[in-house]
Amino acid sequence: MKLSSEAAVTAPDDSVSNRTLEPGLYVVATPIGHLSDISARALGVLRAATEILCEDTRTSNVLLRHYGIQAKLSALHNFNESQKIQSTLKKLELGQALALISDAGTPLISDPGYSIVAAARAAGFTIRAVPGPCALIAAVSICGLPCERFCFEGFLPANSKGRRDQLLALQDEPRSIVFYESTHRIVEMLADVVAIFGAERPISVVKEITKHFENCFTGAASLVAEKLALDPNLQRGEFVVIVQGAPAKSDAEIQARRTFVILCESMTKSQAAKLAAKLTGVSRRLIYAGTENAGTEE
């Protein structure tokens, strides 16, 4: 999620910035869009940190300049994270206070930082959370779907087969399922959601959270997918997709569908459904429901 300086705000008189931070690694959440969505504590930590480890120095500088923060920045991203572990541990050993941020939101949530945090934790260094914005939680809070229990899957594979295989594995998940998706794949991803979870499965697509073009579309999967597919303007931005969990099924029905999917790898759908029904005692109608993507027709 990229930053947007849509609102001019005045930096607070934050006395925390005048304190010396205790040595350790501070995992700091930053705005996911609107620059005013940051805590006084987070600003204080960023001002006082010896160094800020950030995903992209150019993106982070937008936020720091906005609040008049001058800090030493060091890039930490997916391509160099493993190489940064030892140098980061050395700095912590020297008693430095390091802040870890991502381009936007909470670090490690589909963003870099896991290897650094895990290594620092294993080495016994102090690690403190400075909580704040997270696109996942923000989207769940406004989507209007039951999310008292949910699972987070992050980004799906970029290729069609990998994406469909992962969605298929989640077909019977009873909890709501949350995904991140990019502007380049949102239409294809939603088409796969319809094919695998069914046209009537309730979903919610939340885009550009806290930014000027924030929007939330909730309804039957086929209707939401069609709405975005027909309007290129709605396909722009960063997306959180929430799929309502599957209705409760009997153990026999779940096993029958799994059997059907496996059989579809070596025979047609009708043959697989007939054999799965014979093996499990579940009707072919129930086996077919929600498995439109599996196998081939005769």
Side-chain angles (χ1 to χ4, degrees):
M1 303 282 181
K2 297 296 183 181
L3 293 171
S4 170
S5 55
E6 64 171 87
V9 294
T10 301
D13 181 12
D14 181 14
S15 59
V16 178
S17 64
N18 297 320
R19 301 175 187 172
T20 301
L21 285 177
E22 295 181 1
L25 179 63
Y26 294 78
V27 182
V28 184
T30 56
I32 56 178
H34 201 296
L35 290 181
S36 61
D37 292 334
I38 189 167
S39 70
R41 182 182 174 216
L43 290 173
V45 169
L46 295 179
R47 286 194 176 99
T50 309
E51 183 177 335
I52 299 174
L53 307 176
C54 62
E55 194 173 355
D56 188 319
T57 57
R58 296 166 298 181
T59 300
S60 296
N61 263 322
V62 173
L63 175 67
L64 299 180
R65 284 197 304 267
H66 186 78
Y67 284 98
I69 298 174
Q70 295 183 339
K72 180 181 179 182
L73 297 178
S74 178
L76 176 74
H77 44 68
N78 290 326
F79 302 104
N80 73 351
E81 185 174 349
S82 59
Q83 289 77 37
K84 286 275 206 175
I85 294 176
Q86 292 307 315
S87 61
T88 301
L89 294 181
K90 182 64 175 179
K91 292 172 183 177
L92 292 172
E93 186 178 337
L94 292 172
Q96 295 186 13
L98 305 178
L100 170 64
I101 64 176
S102 61
D103 280 350
T106 301
L108 279 73
I109 310 301
S110 287
D111 276 329
Y114 165 73
S115 297
I116 295 292
V117 170
R121 176 69 64 190
F125 293 109
T126 298
I127 304 173
R128 299 195 184 282
V130 184
C134 177
L136 157 66
I137 300 302
V140 164
S141 73
I142 66 172
C143 70
L145 297 180
C147 289
E148 62 276 5
R149 297 174 63 241
F150 65 87
C151 60
F152 177 56
E153 291 291 318
F155 286 96
L156 290 165
N159 65 85
S160 179
K161 184 181 185 306
R163 184 170 58 244
R164 281 175 165 253
D165 286 347
Q166 191 164 330
L167 290 173
L168 185 59
L170 295 164
Q171 189 177 50
D172 294 314
E173 170 59 56
R175 299 168 294 177
S176 290
I177 315 164
V178 187
F179 305 93
Y180 284 166
E181 193 51 89
S182 70
T183 184
H184 307 293
R185 292 190 293 271
I186 186 62
V187 172
E188 291 77 9
M189 184 264 196
L190 291 179
D192 287 340
V193 166
V194 172
I196 293 170
F197 292 99
E200 298 304 315
R201 178 75 71 92
I203 71 169
S204 184
V205 176
V206 188
K207 68 184 295 283
E208 296 292 85
I209 302 173
T210 78
K211 301 179 184 179
H212 183 69
F213 292 105
E214 175 182 323
N215 219 323
C216 178
F217 306 99
T218 299
S222 59
L223 298 180
V224 175
E226 182 181 20
K227 186 176 185 66
L228 269 74
L230 293 176
D231 189 345
N233 289 323
L234 296 181
Q235 300 164 23
R236 299 173 182 171
E238 302 285 345
F239 298 85
V240 181
V241 178
I242 302 150
V243 178
Q244 185 168 311
K249 300 179 179 66
S250 67
D251 291 341
E253 188 177 342
I254 293 173
Q255 185 57 47
R257 289 190 179 185
R258 289 174 178 169
T259 301
F260 170 72
V261 170
I262 293 171
L263 292 173
C264 278
E265 295 177 358
S266 56
M267 60 184 68
T268 65
K269 287 178 66 175
S270 59
Q271 291 171 331
K274 183 177 180 180
L275 183 54
K278 185 175 181 180
L279 290 171
T280 64
V282 175
S283 72
R284 279 188 285 181
R285 180 184 62 80
L286 288 178
I287 292 173
Y288 266 125
T291 55
E292 295 88 344
N293 67 299
T296 58
E297 299 292 350
E298 288 183 312

